[in-house]
Amino acid sequence: MKLTGVELLRVRMPLVAPFRTSFGTQAERELLLLRAVTSEGEGWGECGAMVDPLYSSEYVDGVEHVLRTFLVPTLLAAGDLTANKVAPLLAKFKGHRMAKAALEMAVLDAELRAHGVSFGAALGSTRDSVPCGVSVGIMDTIPKLVDVVGGYLEAGYLRIKLKIEPGWDVEPVRAVRERFGDDVLLQVDANTAYTLSDVPQLQRLDPFELLLIEQPLEEEDVLGHAELAKHIRTPICLDESVVSARSAADAIKLGACRIVNIKPSRVGGYLEARRVHDVCAAHGVPVWCGGMIETGLGRAANVALASLPGFTLPGDTSASDRFYTEDITEPFVLEGGRLPVPSGPGLGVTPIPARLAEVTTAKSWLAS
Ligand code: SMG
Ligand code: MG
């Protein structure tokens, strides 16, 4: 297969409601899509990066720049290409994992479509649907939060994740437990908002039997997480800190986490995400699939990944209508708290042309 060109599409979609995390509030999702054109057909990629470098260091304009200047030209010049060659070809460029992940995803999609193989089959799927959780933002009031959580439980979500930050942690958790009971699978995500001086406050979450606390401390503080783990009962799950299979192995060995959130964009692509899964499985560490407010394209690939055997916890693989009134693909619809794993070639979904045109704010074509 030869890569002949890549189209970069800048897309902007309103969210059904603002999504507030410990690092900011988002009312719309602006992201980058890639259409890889190859000698065997085309494939789609989606980049997890947000407009501002607040979740991690990457951001949409930076991704676009590194793709245009370094990553895409390298693959265009590479001659015979397979998805497995993408990461080794791009390895000399440090970092920029979200940019690399999007490009690899587009090449992988093109390759799999050409061979008539689905993402799920290629990655090692063992199920045809996956259990779904939902990530619930920080709200202005506790009654509003309880209302929103009630709506998601009614919709069938099998696990609730509450975004937390100092000042919004024990009380929201208590309110959700009091209203919906101890059987609800409940977890929290701090997006690095705490420090080790918050140990006493984080200990106050212990009685609520949470599934996990996600990324309480900063990204680089793996040893801090190992220290925190000695003082709290809630299992620690790492998100931002795990950027590769190697860093996952290190974190596990150091005792920094008992569970891992796998986001393909954060670790440089679906092929590395599978290696993170394999490393965790080898250590008996449960994993689940994270989310970056994906469109139907990224969602399709995430659902495929989440159908691997080590994904034993429900992921942030919510339905399209969790964030979007109208998706750019056929929507993913919750059925009994689960989403079906697409079975068609490649991602198994494609953008609806008229819908894609509506949300596209800029396009550019890169070719050799
Ligand atoms: O796609 O359902 C989704 C979002 C899930 O909470 C979610 N993602 O840290 O896990 C996380 C956040 C990162 C993105 S927040 C803007
Ligand atoms: Mg997270």
mmCIF file of all heavy atoms in Angstrom, residues 1-23:
data_model
loop_
_atom_site.group_PDB
_atom_site.id
_atom_site.type_symbol
_atom_site.label_atom_id
_atom_site.label_comp_id
_atom_site.label_asym_id
_atom_site.label_seq_id
_atom_site.Cartn_x
_atom_site.Cartn_y
_atom_site.Cartn_z
ATOM 1 N N MET A 1 0.847 -1.189 0.000
ATOM 2 C CA MET A 1 0.000 0.000 0.000
ATOM 3 C C MET A 1 0.888 1.247 0.000
ATOM 4 O O MET A 1 1.903 1.282 0.689
ATOM 5 C CB MET A 1 -0.854 -0.026 1.279
ATOM 6 C CG MET A 1 -1.945 0.983 1.331
ATOM 7 S SD MET A 1 -3.060 0.654 2.738
ATOM 8 C CE MET A 1 -2.318 1.657 4.006
ATOM 9 N N LYS A 2 0.442 2.236 -0.789
ATOM 10 C CA LYS A 2 1.207 3.493 -0.814
ATOM 11 C C LYS A 2 0.295 4.627 -0.392
ATOM 12 O O LYS A 2 -0.855 4.702 -0.829
ATOM 13 C CB LYS A 2 1.734 3.683 -2.245
ATOM 14 C CG LYS A 2 2.360 5.011 -2.542
ATOM 15 C CD LYS A 2 3.867 4.904 -2.795
ATOM 16 C CE LYS A 2 4.518 6.269 -3.040
ATOM 17 N NZ LYS A 2 4.474 7.205 -1.904
ATOM 18 N N LEU A 3 0.796 5.491 0.470
ATOM 19 C CA LEU A 3 0.006 6.668 0.876
ATOM 20 C C LEU A 3 0.196 7.740 -0.186
ATOM 21 O O LEU A 3 1.319 8.138 -0.483
ATOM 22 C CB LEU A 3 0.499 7.177 2.239
ATOM 23 C CG LEU A 3 -0.272 8.348 2.840
ATOM 24 C CD1 LEU A 3 -1.695 7.928 3.228
ATOM 25 C CD2 LEU A 3 0.461 8.895 4.078
ATOM 26 N N THR A 4 -0.927 8.203 -0.764
ATOM 27 C CA THR A 4 -0.793 9.210 -1.823
ATOM 28 C C THR A 4 -1.123 10.620 -1.333
ATOM 29 O O THR A 4 -0.663 11.589 -1.903
ATOM 30 C CB THR A 4 -1.656 8.850 -3.051
ATOM 31 O OG1 THR A 4 -3.002 8.617 -2.615
ATOM 32 C CG2 THR A 4 -1.158 7.603 -3.723
ATOM 33 N N GLY A 5 -1.927 10.710 -0.304
ATOM 34 C CA GLY A 5 -2.243 12.045 0.217
ATOM 35 C C GLY A 5 -3.043 11.942 1.503
ATOM 36 O O GLY A 5 -3.585 10.890 1.838
ATOM 37 N N VAL A 6 -3.064 13.039 2.239
ATOM 38 C CA VAL A 6 -3.862 13.095 3.475
ATOM 39 C C VAL A 6 -4.631 14.408 3.487
ATOM 40 O O VAL A 6 -4.046 15.480 3.282
ATOM 41 C CB VAL A 6 -2.959 13.023 4.733
ATOM 42 C CG1 VAL A 6 -3.782 13.244 6.005
ATOM 43 C CG2 VAL A 6 -2.239 11.667 4.803
ATOM 44 N N GLU A 7 -5.933 14.294 3.716
ATOM 45 C CA GLU A 7 -6.738 15.502 3.880
ATOM 46 C C GLU A 7 -6.926 15.755 5.373
ATOM 47 O O GLU A 7 -7.296 14.843 6.121
ATOM 48 C CB GLU A 7 -8.095 15.349 3.191
ATOM 49 C CG GLU A 7 -8.878 16.648 3.202
ATOM 50 C CD GLU A 7 -10.162 16.575 2.375
ATOM 51 O OE1 GLU A 7 -10.895 15.575 2.495
ATOM 52 O OE2 GLU A 7 -10.420 17.518 1.616
ATOM 53 N N LEU A 8 -6.645 16.980 5.805
ATOM 54 C CA LEU A 8 -6.876 17.378 7.200
ATOM 55 C C LEU A 8 -8.179 18.167 7.240
ATOM 56 O O LEU A 8 -8.341 19.131 6.496
ATOM 57 C CB LEU A 8 -5.746 18.274 7.705
ATOM 58 C CG LEU A 8 -4.333 17.708 7.701
ATOM 59 C CD1 LEU A 8 -3.349 18.744 8.254
ATOM 60 C CD2 LEU A 8 -4.252 16.422 8.509
ATOM 61 N N LEU A 9 -9.095 17.734 8.096
ATOM 62 C CA LEU A 9 -10.369 18.443 8.224
ATOM 63 C C LEU A 9 -10.506 18.972 9.640
ATOM 64 O O LEU A 9 -10.363 18.216 10.611
ATOM 65 C CB LEU A 9 -11.564 17.520 7.938
ATOM 66 C CG LEU A 9 -11.692 16.950 6.539
ATOM 67 C CD1 LEU A 9 -10.975 15.617 6.439
ATOM 68 C CD2 LEU A 9 -13.163 16.770 6.205
ATOM 69 N N ARG A 10 -10.754 20.251 9.728
ATOM 70 C CA ARG A 10 -10.984 20.893 11.022
ATOM 71 C C ARG A 10 -12.500 20.916 11.213
ATOM 72 O O ARG A 10 -13.219 21.421 10.368
ATOM 73 C CB ARG A 10 -10.430 22.287 10.907
ATOM 74 C CG ARG A 10 -10.336 23.026 12.164
ATOM 75 C CD ARG A 10 -9.282 22.463 13.081
ATOM 76 N NE ARG A 10 -9.098 23.442 14.104
ATOM 77 C CZ ARG A 10 -7.966 24.112 14.319
ATOM 78 N NH1 ARG A 10 -6.890 23.824 13.641
ATOM 79 N NH2 ARG A 10 -7.905 25.025 15.246
ATOM 80 N N VAL A 11 -12.955 20.337 12.329
ATOM 81 C CA VAL A 11 -14.385 20.158 12.538
ATOM 82 C C VAL A 11 -14.802 20.841 13.837
ATOM 83 O O VAL A 11 -14.029 20.856 14.797
ATOM 84 C CB VAL A 11 -14.680 18.633 12.588
ATOM 85 C CG1 VAL A 11 -15.968 18.323 13.279
ATOM 86 C CG2 VAL A 11 -14.635 18.040 11.187
ATOM 87 N N ARG A 12 -15.991 21.428 13.865
ATOM 88 C CA ARG A 12 -16.491 22.036 15.105
ATOM 89 C C ARG A 12 -17.934 21.600 15.340
ATOM 90 O O ARG A 12 -18.791 21.789 14.486
ATOM 91 C CB ARG A 12 -16.414 23.546 15.020
ATOM 92 C CG ARG A 12 -16.797 24.193 16.356
ATOM 93 C CD ARG A 12 -16.837 25.686 16.276
ATOM 94 N NE ARG A 12 -15.529 26.265 15.974
ATOM 95 C CZ ARG A 12 -15.367 27.412 15.329
ATOM 96 N NH1 ARG A 12 -16.412 28.081 14.878
ATOM 97 N NH2 ARG A 12 -14.160 27.892 15.118
ATOM 98 N N MET A 13 -18.173 20.979 16.504
ATOM 99 C CA MET A 13 -19.517 20.478 16.820
ATOM 100 C C MET A 13 -19.945 20.960 18.195
ATOM 101 O O MET A 13 -19.187 20.838 19.161
ATOM 102 C CB MET A 13 -19.517 18.938 16.795
ATOM 103 C CG MET A 13 -19.269 18.370 15.392
ATOM 104 S SD MET A 13 -18.723 16.663 15.434
ATOM 105 C CE MET A 13 -20.226 15.831 15.908
ATOM 106 N N PRO A 14 -21.163 21.508 18.306
ATOM 107 C CA PRO A 14 -21.649 21.934 19.625
ATOM 108 C C PRO A 14 -21.919 20.717 20.503
ATOM 109 O O PRO A 14 -22.325 19.664 20.003
ATOM 110 C CB PRO A 14 -22.968 22.657 19.311
ATOM 111 C CG PRO A 14 -23.392 22.144 17.975
ATOM 112 C CD PRO A 14 -22.151 21.708 17.238
ATOM 113 N N LEU A 15 -21.692 20.839 21.808
ATOM 114 C CA LEU A 15 -22.033 19.760 22.748
ATOM 115 C C LEU A 15 -23.476 19.967 23.222
ATOM 116 O O LEU A 15 -23.943 21.102 23.302
ATOM 117 C CB LEU A 15 -21.086 19.764 23.951
ATOM 118 C CG LEU A 15 -19.587 19.609 23.651
ATOM 119 C CD1 LEU A 15 -18.808 19.501 24.964
ATOM 120 C CD2 LEU A 15 -19.313 18.388 22.777
ATOM 121 N N VAL A 16 -24.148 18.883 23.578
ATOM 122 C CA VAL A 16 -25.538 18.997 24.044
ATOM 123 C C VAL A 16 -25.635 19.846 25.319
ATOM 124 O O VAL A 16 -26.637 20.526 25.549
ATOM 125 C CB VAL A 16 -26.204 17.616 24.294
ATOM 126 C CG1 VAL A 16 -26.406 16.874 22.992
ATOM 127 C CG2 VAL A 16 -25.388 16.778 25.266
ATOM 128 N N ALA A 17 -24.571 19.830 26.133
ATOM 129 C CA ALA A 17 -24.507 20.667 27.333
ATOM 130 C C ALA A 17 -23.036 20.902 27.622
ATOM 131 O O ALA A 17 -22.194 20.067 27.281
ATOM 132 C CB ALA A 17 -25.171 19.955 28.520
ATOM 133 N N PRO A 18 -22.677 22.017 28.256
ATOM 134 C CA PRO A 18 -21.261 22.244 28.586
ATOM 135 C C PRO A 18 -20.736 21.119 29.474
ATOM 136 O O PRO A 18 -21.463 20.593 30.318
ATOM 137 C CB PRO A 18 -21.276 23.577 29.342
ATOM 138 C CG PRO A 18 -22.553 24.249 28.943
ATOM 139 C CD PRO A 18 -23.538 23.139 28.684
ATOM 140 N N PHE A 19 -19.478 20.752 29.237
ATOM 141 C CA PHE A 19 -18.840 19.660 29.975
ATOM 142 C C PHE A 19 -17.719 20.265 30.807
ATOM 143 O O PHE A 19 -16.748 20.782 30.269
ATOM 144 C CB PHE A 19 -18.295 18.630 28.978
ATOM 145 C CG PHE A 19 -17.702 17.397 29.603
ATOM 146 C CD1 PHE A 19 -18.399 16.660 30.549
ATOM 147 C CD2 PHE A 19 -16.438 16.951 29.213
ATOM 148 C CE1 PHE A 19 -17.855 15.508 31.113
ATOM 149 C CE2 PHE A 19 -15.887 15.794 29.759
ATOM 150 C CZ PHE A 19 -16.606 15.080 30.714
ATOM 151 N N ARG A 20 -17.890 20.219 32.157
ATOM 152 C CA ARG A 20 -16.901 20.851 33.038
ATOM 153 C C ARG A 20 -16.055 19.796 33.744
ATOM 154 O O ARG A 20 -16.581 18.844 34.320
ATOM 155 C CB ARG A 20 -17.610 21.729 34.068
ATOM 156 C CG ARG A 20 -16.661 22.403 35.022
ATOM 157 C CD ARG A 20 -17.367 23.444 35.875
ATOM 158 N NE ARG A 20 -16.601 23.667 37.095
ATOM 159 C CZ ARG A 20 -17.103 24.128 38.233
ATOM 160 N NH1 ARG A 20 -18.386 24.426 38.310
ATOM 161 N NH2 ARG A 20 -16.318 24.293 39.274
ATOM 162 N N THR A 21 -14.744 19.986 33.676
ATOM 163 C CA THR A 21 -13.802 19.108 34.363
ATOM 164 C C THR A 21 -12.953 19.982 35.278
ATOM 165 O O THR A 21 -13.116 21.208 35.298
ATOM 166 C CB THR A 21 -12.871 18.409 33.355
ATOM 167 O OG1 THR A 21 -12.077 19.418 32.714
ATOM 168 C CG2 THR A 21 -13.650 17.652 32.301
ATOM 169 N N SER A 22 -12.016 19.375 36.002
ATOM 170 C CA SER A 22 -11.174 20.166 36.903
ATOM 171 C C SER A 22 -10.293 21.145 36.142
ATOM 172 O O SER A 22 -9.755 22.072 36.726
ATOM 173 C CB SER A 22 -10.322 19.242 37.777
ATOM 174 O OG SER A 22 -9.418 18.500 36.988
ATOM 175 N N PHE A 23 -10.147 20.965 34.817
ATOM 176 C CA PHE A 23 -9.270 21.888 34.082
ATOM 177 C C PHE A 23 -9.999 22.868 33.183
ATOM 178 O O PHE A 23 -9.378 23.699 32.526
ATOM 179 C CB PHE A 23 -8.204 21.117 33.286
ATOM 180 C CG PHE A 23 -8.739 20.115 32.291
ATOM 181 C CD1 PHE A 23 -9.215 20.522 31.061
ATOM 182 C CD2 PHE A 23 -8.744 18.761 32.593
ATOM 183 C CE1 PHE A 23 -9.687 19.594 30.137
ATOM 184 C CE2 PHE A 23 -9.222 17.818 31.688
ATOM 185 C CZ PHE A 23 -9.696 18.242 30.450
#
